[in-house]
mmCIF file with all atom_site columns, all heavy atoms in Angstrom:
data_model
loop_
_atom_site.group_PDB
_atom_site.id
_atom_site.type_symbol
_atom_site.label_atom_id
_atom_site.label_alt_id
_atom_site.label_comp_id
_atom_site.label_asym_id
_atom_site.label_entity_id
_atom_site.label_seq_id
_atom_site.pdbx_PDB_ins_code
_atom_site.Cartn_x
_atom_site.Cartn_y
_atom_site.Cartn_z
_atom_site.occupancy
_atom_site.B_iso_or_equiv
_atom_site.pdbx_formal_charge
_atom_site.auth_seq_id
_atom_site.auth_comp_id
_atom_site.auth_asym_id
_atom_site.auth_atom_id
_atom_site.pdbx_PDB_model_num
ATOM 1   N N   . TRP A 1 202 ? 6.986  3.610  -20.446 1.00 0.00 ? 202 TRP A N   1
ATOM 2   C CA  . TRP A 1 202 ? 5.849  4.413  -19.989 1.00 0.00 ? 202 TRP A CA  1
ATOM 3   C C   . TRP A 1 202 ? 5.903  4.552  -18.469 1.00 0.00 ? 202 TRP A C   1
ATOM 4   O O   . TRP A 1 202 ? 5.693  5.643  -17.916 1.00 0.00 ? 202 TRP A O   1
ATOM 5   C CB  . TRP A 1 202 ? 4.531  3.772  -20.404 1.00 0.00 ? 202 TRP A CB  1
ATOM 6   C CG  . TRP A 1 202 ? 3.323  4.630  -20.142 1.00 0.00 ? 202 TRP A CG  1
ATOM 7   C CD1 . TRP A 1 202 ? 2.715  5.477  -21.024 1.00 0.00 ? 202 TRP A CD1 1
ATOM 8   C CD2 . TRP A 1 202 ? 2.584  4.738  -18.913 1.00 0.00 ? 202 TRP A CD2 1
ATOM 9   N NE1 . TRP A 1 202 ? 1.644  6.106  -20.422 1.00 0.00 ? 202 TRP A NE1 1
ATOM 10  C CE2 . TRP A 1 202 ? 1.545  5.675  -19.127 1.00 0.00 ? 202 TRP A CE2 1
ATOM 11  C CE3 . TRP A 1 202 ? 2.692  4.132  -17.664 1.00 0.00 ? 202 TRP A CE3 1
ATOM 12  C CZ2 . TRP A 1 202 ? 0.623  6.005  -18.141 1.00 0.00 ? 202 TRP A CZ2 1
ATOM 13  C CZ3 . TRP A 1 202 ? 1.786  4.476  -16.660 1.00 0.00 ? 202 TRP A CZ3 1
ATOM 14  C CH2 . TRP A 1 202 ? 0.763  5.401  -16.907 1.00 0.00 ? 202 TRP A CH2 1
ATOM 15  N N   . GLY A 1 203 ? 6.176  3.453  -17.786 1.00 0.00 ? 203 GLY A N   1
ATOM 16  C CA  . GLY A 1 203 ? 6.239  3.491  -16.327 1.00 0.00 ? 203 GLY A CA  1
ATOM 17  C C   . GLY A 1 203 ? 7.319  4.412  -15.819 1.00 0.00 ? 203 GLY A C   1
ATOM 18  O O   . GLY A 1 203 ? 7.111  5.171  -14.862 1.00 0.00 ? 203 GLY A O   1
ATOM 19  N N   . MET A 1 204 ? 8.480  4.384  -16.466 1.00 0.00 ? 204 MET A N   1
ATOM 20  C CA  . MET A 1 204 ? 9.584  5.243  -16.040 1.00 0.00 ? 204 MET A CA  1
ATOM 21  C C   . MET A 1 204 ? 9.265  6.712  -16.266 1.00 0.00 ? 204 MET A C   1
ATOM 22  O O   . MET A 1 204 ? 9.721  7.582  -15.516 1.00 0.00 ? 204 MET A O   1
ATOM 23  C CB  . MET A 1 204 ? 10.854 4.854  -16.788 1.00 0.00 ? 204 MET A CB  1
ATOM 24  C CG  . MET A 1 204 ? 11.370 3.470  -16.417 1.00 0.00 ? 204 MET A CG  1
ATOM 25  S SD  . MET A 1 204 ? 12.814 2.959  -17.382 1.00 0.00 ? 204 MET A SD  1
ATOM 26  C CE  . MET A 1 204 ? 14.057 4.090  -16.734 1.00 0.00 ? 204 MET A CE  1
ATOM 27  N N   . GLU A 1 205 ? 8.475  6.990  -17.286 1.00 0.00 ? 205 GLU A N   1
ATOM 28  C CA  . GLU A 1 205 ? 8.118  8.375  -17.607 1.00 0.00 ? 205 GLU A CA  1
ATOM 29  C C   . GLU A 1 205 ? 6.906  8.866  -16.816 1.00 0.00 ? 205 GLU A C   1
ATOM 30  O O   . GLU A 1 205 ? 6.588  10.057 -16.847 1.00 0.00 ? 205 GLU A O   1
ATOM 31  C CB  . GLU A 1 205 ? 7.828  8.503  -19.106 1.00 0.00 ? 205 GLU A CB  1
ATOM 32  C CG  . GLU A 1 205 ? 9.062  8.283  -19.983 1.00 0.00 ? 205 GLU A CG  1
ATOM 33  C CD  . GLU A 1 205 ? 8.730  8.260  -21.461 1.00 0.00 ? 205 GLU A CD  1
ATOM 34  O OE1 . GLU A 1 205 ? 7.521  8.167  -21.805 1.00 0.00 ? 205 GLU A OE1 1
ATOM 35  O OE2 . GLU A 1 205 ? 9.673  8.318  -22.277 1.00 0.00 ? 205 GLU A OE2 1
ATOM 36  N N   . ASN A 1 206 ? 6.232  7.947  -16.122 1.00 0.00 ? 206 ASN A N   1
ATOM 37  C CA  . ASN A 1 206 ? 4.989  8.313  -15.428 1.00 0.00 ? 206 ASN A CA  1
ATOM 38  C C   . ASN A 1 206 ? 4.991  7.908  -13.950 1.00 0.00 ? 206 ASN A C   1
ATOM 39  O O   . ASN A 1 206 ? 3.960  7.519  -13.397 1.00 0.00 ? 206 ASN A O   1
ATOM 40  C CB  . ASN A 1 206 ? 3.798  7.684  -16.146 1.00 0.00 ? 206 ASN A CB  1
ATOM 41  C CG  . ASN A 1 206 ? 3.511  8.337  -17.486 1.00 0.00 ? 206 ASN A CG  1
ATOM 42  O OD1 . ASN A 1 206 ? 2.783  9.326  -17.570 1.00 0.00 ? 206 ASN A OD1 1
ATOM 43  N ND2 . ASN A 1 206 ? 4.094  7.794  -18.554 1.00 0.00 ? 206 ASN A ND2 1
ATOM 44  N N   . ASN A 1 207 ? 6.151  8.016  -13.338 1.00 0.00 ? 207 ASN A N   1
ATOM 45  C CA  . ASN A 1 207 ? 6.284  7.894  -11.878 1.00 0.00 ? 207 ASN A CA  1
ATOM 46  C C   . ASN A 1 207 ? 5.883  6.529  -11.325 1.00 0.00 ? 207 ASN A C   1
ATOM 47  O O   . ASN A 1 207 ? 5.356  6.440  -10.211 1.00 0.00 ? 207 ASN A O   1
ATOM 48  C CB  . ASN A 1 207 ? 5.447  8.997  -11.188 1.00 0.00 ? 207 ASN A CB  1
ATOM 49  C CG  . ASN A 1 207 ? 5.827  10.381 -11.627 1.00 0.00 ? 207 ASN A CG  1
ATOM 50  O OD1 . ASN A 1 207 ? 7.007  10.712 -11.684 1.00 0.00 ? 207 ASN A OD1 1
ATOM 51  N ND2 . ASN A 1 207 ? 4.846  11.206 -11.954 1.00 0.00 ? 207 ASN A ND2 1
ATOM 52  N N   . MET A 1 208 ? 6.175  5.464  -12.098 1.00 0.00 ? 208 MET A N   1
ATOM 53  C CA  . MET A 1 208 ? 5.855  4.128  -11.623 1.00 0.00 ? 208 MET A CA  1
ATOM 54  C C   . MET A 1 208 ? 7.025  3.457  -10.910 1.00 0.00 ? 208 MET A C   1
ATOM 55  O O   . MET A 1 208 ? 6.914  2.310  -10.484 1.00 0.00 ? 208 MET A O   1
ATOM 56  C CB  . MET A 1 208 ? 5.395  3.247  -12.795 1.00 0.00 ? 208 MET A CB  1
ATOM 57  C CG  . MET A 1 208 ? 4.203  3.775  -13.564 1.00 0.00 ? 208 MET A CG  1
ATOM 58  S SD  . MET A 1 208 ? 2.710  3.986  -12.550 1.00 0.00 ? 208 MET A SD  1
ATOM 59  C CE  . MET A 1 208 ? 2.216  2.286  -12.304 1.00 0.00 ? 208 MET A CE  1
ATOM 60  N N   . LEU A 1 209 ? 8.144  4.150  -10.786 1.00 0.00 ? 209 LEU A N   1
ATOM 61  C CA  . LEU A 1 209 ? 9.261  3.640  -10.013 1.00 0.00 ? 209 LEU A CA  1
ATOM 62  C C   . LEU A 1 209 ? 9.178  4.163  -8.578  1.00 0.00 ? 209 LEU A C   1
ATOM 63  O O   . LEU A 1 209 ? 8.693  5.285  -8.348  1.00 0.00 ? 209 LEU A O   1
ATOM 64  C CB  . LEU A 1 209 ? 10.596 4.061  -10.633 1.00 0.00 ? 209 LEU A CB  1
ATOM 65  C CG  . LEU A 1 209 ? 11.002 3.338  -11.919 1.00 0.00 ? 209 LEU A CG  1
ATOM 66  C CD1 . LEU A 1 209 ? 12.253 3.978  -12.504 1.00 0.00 ? 209 LEU A CD1 1
ATOM 67  C CD2 . LEU A 1 209 ? 11.241 1.851  -11.650 1.00 0.00 ? 209 LEU A CD2 1
ATOM 68  N N   . PRO A 1 210 ? 9.636  3.384  -7.601  1.00 0.00 ? 210 PRO A N   1
ATOM 69  C CA  . PRO A 1 210 ? 9.576  3.837  -6.203  1.00 0.00 ? 210 PRO A CA  1
ATOM 70  C C   . PRO A 1 210 ? 10.339 5.144  -5.988  1.00 0.00 ? 210 PRO A C   1
ATOM 71  O O   . PRO A 1 210 ? 11.322 5.435  -6.665  1.00 0.00 ? 210 PRO A O   1
ATOM 72  C CB  . PRO A 1 210 ? 10.233 2.679  -5.431  1.00 0.00 ? 210 PRO A CB  1
ATOM 73  C CG  . PRO A 1 210 ? 10.066 1.501  -6.314  1.00 0.00 ? 210 PRO A CG  1
ATOM 74  C CD  . PRO A 1 210 ? 10.167 2.024  -7.716  1.00 0.00 ? 210 PRO A CD  1
ATOM 75  N N   . ASP A 1 211 ? 9.842  5.923  -5.035  1.00 0.00 ? 211 ASP A N   1
ATOM 76  C CA  . ASP A 1 211 ? 10.495 7.158  -4.633  1.00 0.00 ? 211 ASP A CA  1
ATOM 77  C C   . ASP A 1 211 ? 11.356 6.883  -3.394  1.00 0.00 ? 211 ASP A C   1
ATOM 78  O O   . ASP A 1 211 ? 11.274 5.830  -2.772  1.00 0.00 ? 211 ASP A O   1
ATOM 79  C CB  . ASP A 1 211 ? 9.460  8.230  -4.292  1.00 0.00 ? 211 ASP A CB  1
ATOM 80  C CG  . ASP A 1 211 ? 8.535  8.516  -5.459  1.00 0.00 ? 211 ASP A CG  1
ATOM 81  O OD1 . ASP A 1 211 ? 9.053  8.842  -6.540  1.00 0.00 ? 211 ASP A OD1 1
ATOM 82  O OD2 . ASP A 1 211 ? 7.302  8.412  -5.279  1.00 0.00 ? 211 ASP A OD2 1
ATOM 83  N N   . ARG A 1 212 ? 12.161 7.857  -3.056  1.00 0.00 ? 212 ARG A N   1
ATOM 84  C CA  . ARG A 1 212 ? 12.901 7.817  -1.780  1.00 0.00 ? 212 ARG A CA  1
ATOM 85  C C   . ARG A 1 212 ? 12.803 9.202  -1.154  1.00 0.00 ? 212 ARG A C   1
ATOM 86  O O   . ARG A 1 212 ? 13.460 10.147 -1.598  1.00 0.00 ? 212 ARG A O   1
ATOM 87  C CB  . ARG A 1 212 ? 14.363 7.413  -2.003  1.00 0.00 ? 212 ARG A CB  1
ATOM 88  C CG  . ARG A 1 212 ? 15.129 7.216  -0.695  1.00 0.00 ? 212 ARG A CG  1
ATOM 89  C CD  . ARG A 1 212 ? 16.521 6.616  -0.951  1.00 0.00 ? 212 ARG A CD  1
ATOM 90  N NE  . ARG A 1 212 ? 17.271 6.448  0.286   1.00 0.00 ? 212 ARG A NE  1
ATOM 91  C CZ  . ARG A 1 212 ? 17.147 5.430  1.124   1.00 0.00 ? 212 ARG A CZ  1
ATOM 92  N NH1 . ARG A 1 212 ? 16.268 4.476  0.852   1.00 0.00 ? 212 ARG A NH1 1
ATOM 93  N NH2 . ARG A 1 212 ? 17.864 5.349  2.222   1.00 0.00 ? 212 ARG A NH2 1
ATOM 94  N N   . SER A 1 213 ? 11.940 9.312  -0.168  1.00 0.00 ? 213 SER A N   1
ATOM 95  C CA  . SER A 1 213 ? 11.735 10.630 0.424   1.00 0.00 ? 213 SER A CA  1
ATOM 96  C C   . SER A 1 213 ? 11.217 10.485 1.850   1.00 0.00 ? 213 SER A C   1
ATOM 97  O O   . SER A 1 213 ? 10.636 9.456  2.224   1.00 0.00 ? 213 SER A O   1
ATOM 98  C CB  . SER A 1 213 ? 10.732 11.438 -0.409  1.00 0.00 ? 213 SER A CB  1
ATOM 99  O OG  . SER A 1 213 ? 9.443  10.846 -0.374  1.00 0.00 ? 213 SER A OG  1
ATOM 100 N N   . ARG A 1 214 ? 11.435 11.504 2.623   1.00 0.00 ? 214 ARG A N   1
ATOM 101 C CA  . ARG A 1 214 ? 10.845 11.613 3.958   1.00 0.00 ? 214 ARG A CA  1
ATOM 102 C C   . ARG A 1 214 ? 10.242 12.999 4.082   1.00 0.00 ? 214 ARG A C   1
ATOM 103 O O   . ARG A 1 214 ? 10.926 13.993 3.809   1.00 0.00 ? 214 ARG A O   1
ATOM 104 C CB  . ARG A 1 214 ? 11.874 11.383 5.055   1.00 0.00 ? 214 ARG A CB  1
ATOM 105 C CG  . ARG A 1 214 ? 11.298 11.663 6.458   1.00 0.00 ? 214 ARG A CG  1
ATOM 106 C CD  . ARG A 1 214 ? 12.332 11.537 7.561   1.00 0.00 ? 214 ARG A CD  1
ATOM 107 N NE  . ARG A 1 214 ? 12.679 10.137 7.787   1.00 0.00 ? 214 ARG A NE  1
ATOM 108 C CZ  . ARG A 1 214 ? 13.906 9.640  7.664   1.00 0.00 ? 214 ARG A CZ  1
ATOM 109 N NH1 . ARG A 1 214 ? 14.902 10.433 7.268   1.00 0.00 ? 214 ARG A NH1 1
ATOM 110 N NH2 . ARG A 1 214 ? 14.144 8.380  7.910   1.00 0.00 ? 214 ARG A NH2 1
#
Side-chain angles (χ1 to χ4, degrees):
W202 188 94
M204 293 176 69
E205 293 174 347
N206 289 273
N207 303 313
M208 303 300 287
L209 286 173
D211 302 305
R212 186 172 179 82
S213 65
R214 173 184 288 121

